[in-house]
Amino acid sequence: MAGLLTKAAWDVRDAMRTYISSGVIDKPRDFTKKAFTVKPANWRDGDNMKAEINVLPKQAEYFWFLIMGGDRHPQDSGKGAANDFLTWSRRPTGFGGAYAKNFVKKTSHDNREERLARRGARAARHAFATATANTIGPHRDMRWIGRQGYKPATFFGTVQGIEGYWQRPARLTKEQRWAMYGKKVNTFNTRVAAAQRRMDRVGNLNGIKQATRDAYEQSQQGITPRLAHMPWTKPGQQAKLLLAFRSTVPYDARFDYDGVMTSAFNNRVNDAALASSLRYHKGIFQTNAGRYAP
């Protein structure tokens, strides 16, 4: 019986490992696969003998939410470090899971470097404006968009109710923006001037294209497009979420611990297996009866 119970416990352990690798856990590591341990049964315990299958304490903290479900909060069982925080990441770890720690560090580092660079750029703009306040003539473009080596950077904030690190949308250079919108501004001004000349001559806009009529009406309403009002963001570009911080992470009870354990145990411990084991050991006993003499 002790041997049968021990073999059943090992069967359960093997079934758990197979189940873990079946896809219920995404790309499990050895840390997860080797979570289950077996304590053999001891025949000397008599009616109290048992074989145990246990989950190592650290892994048990993570398996709890997979088996039982529920919401995990920062610093709950299954946490990482003492300053655990919960995130969603668009770049998950290669072994599955919520996020890659190096990606978190890199994102926060890049954001800190950008904030320092922007602070320096603001100080430079202020100093330049102060130094040239009383001068006449074109001033150097000190805006952030004019910085050398510009690339979409990050910011920390809330967009559409989601707090986290975001990547800024790609921006137009000064040349791209003028090529895209400068002609529109010039065309508008030309059409307004043409409409005004037409009005001065004949008092109406008959014969002017609809676009010219619309431009004239907008000018009368005080709606005048200026290059300063044109967007810097490239068409179709938008902020990309890099890391989102959550107060809780919900877990579904998707790990069928009881089902796998019961099935594996029943395959080993049943009437047929018990009878076979008793016949086998009875034969050994009868063959070696002398060894068991009082």
Side-chain angles (χ1 to χ4, degrees):
M1 283 299 298
L4 189 64
L5 290 174
T6 299
K7 290 178 181 179
W10 283 109
D11 283 354
V12 171
R13 196 286 307 267
D14 293 342
M16 287 295 178
R17 286 190 173 184
T18 301
Y19 183 57
I20 289 173
S21 301
S22 68
V24 66
I25 296 178
D26 184 32
K27 298 179 182 179
R29 294 180 290 173
D30 288 341
F31 171 82
T32 304
K33 295 179 181 178
K34 296 180 179 180
F36 297 92
T37 62
V38 171
K39 181 180 179 180
N42 188 341
W43 63 271
R44 294 179 180 85
D45 292 336
D47 291 343
N48 295 322
M49 68 180 176
K50 61 183 179 181
E52 296 181 2
I53 178 167
N54 298 304
V55 185
L56 295 173
K58 190 65 177 179
Q59 287 88 325
E61 295 177 350
Y62 293 90
F63 272 105
W64 170 267
F65 291 99
L66 295 175
I67 296 171
M68 306 301 294
D71 292 337
R72 185 166 77 86
H73 302 79
Q75 302 188 28
D76 276 350
S77 295
K79 62 181 177 59
N83 58 346
D84 180 39
F85 54 91
L86 308 174
T87 68
W88 171 92
S89 172
R90 69 186 295 265
R91 184 186 298 174
T93 172
F95 300 101
Y99 61 90
K101 290 183 179 179
N102 288 339
F103 181 57
V104 175
K105 292 179 180 179
K106 183 179 184 305
T107 302
S108 60
H109 173 77
D110 291 347
N111 179 252
R112 182 169 58 254
E113 291 297 313
E114 184 193 352
R115 284 189 285 109
L116 292 175
R118 285 176 176 269
R119 187 181 304 168
R122 286 195 298 269
R125 287 199 302 270
H126 179 74
F128 183 80
T130 301
T132 59
N134 298 321
T135 61
I136 300 175
H139 289 177
R140 180 185 173 194
D141 185 2
M142 293 294 292
R143 289 171 295 183
W144 172 260
I145 194 63
R147 285 173 52 88
Q148 293 295 324
Y150 169 79
K151 61 180 181 179
T154 61
F155 68 94
F156 183 86
T158 301
V159 178
Q160 296 180 349
I162 301 177
E163 182 182 39
Y165 285 106
W166 294 78
Q167 179 178 299
R168 299 179 187 277
R171 306 294 295 275
L172 297 170
T173 64
K174 183 169 59 175
E175 293 75 15
Q176 290 173 332
R177 187 163 171 262
W178 173 256
M180 185 172 294
Y181 300 113
K183 183 178 179 181
K184 179 178 180 180
V185 174
N186 289 339
T187 300
F188 177 88
N189 293 332
T190 300
R191 288 176 175 172
V192 170
Q196 187 63 58
R197 290 194 299 270
R198 179 81 178 184
M199 287 291 293
D200 293 341
R201 290 197 306 268
V202 299
N204 62 69
L205 295 178
N206 294 334
I208 302 296
K209 292 183 178 180
Q210 184 64 43
T212 305
R213 182 181 297 113
D214 294 341
Y216 178 78
E217 292 176 353
Q218 290 177 16
S219 71
Q220 298 303 300
Q221 298 171 13
I223 303 174
T224 304
R226 303 181 187 279
L227 187 60
H229 301 157
M230 298 303 172
W232 283 97
T233 301
K234 289 183 178 180
Q237 295 291 318
Q238 58 184 359
K240 296 179 181 179
L241 180 63
L242 299 178
L243 288 169
F245 296 83
R246 300 175 173 176
S247 58
T248 61
V249 171
Y251 282 83
D252 295 328
R254 64 177 187 274
F255 194 91
D256 188 14
Y257 179 83
D258 290 342
V260 174
M261 179 181 64
T262 302
S263 175
F265 181 82
N266 290 339
N267 286 337
R268 174 65 66 173
V269 182
N270 51 54
D271 290 345
L274 181 59
S276 176
S277 179
L278 289 176
R279 285 195 301 269
Y280 172 76
H281 288 92
K282 181 179 180 180
I284 293 179
F285 178 80
Q286 290 175 340
T287 303
N288 303 280
R291 295 175 53 188
Y292 301 97

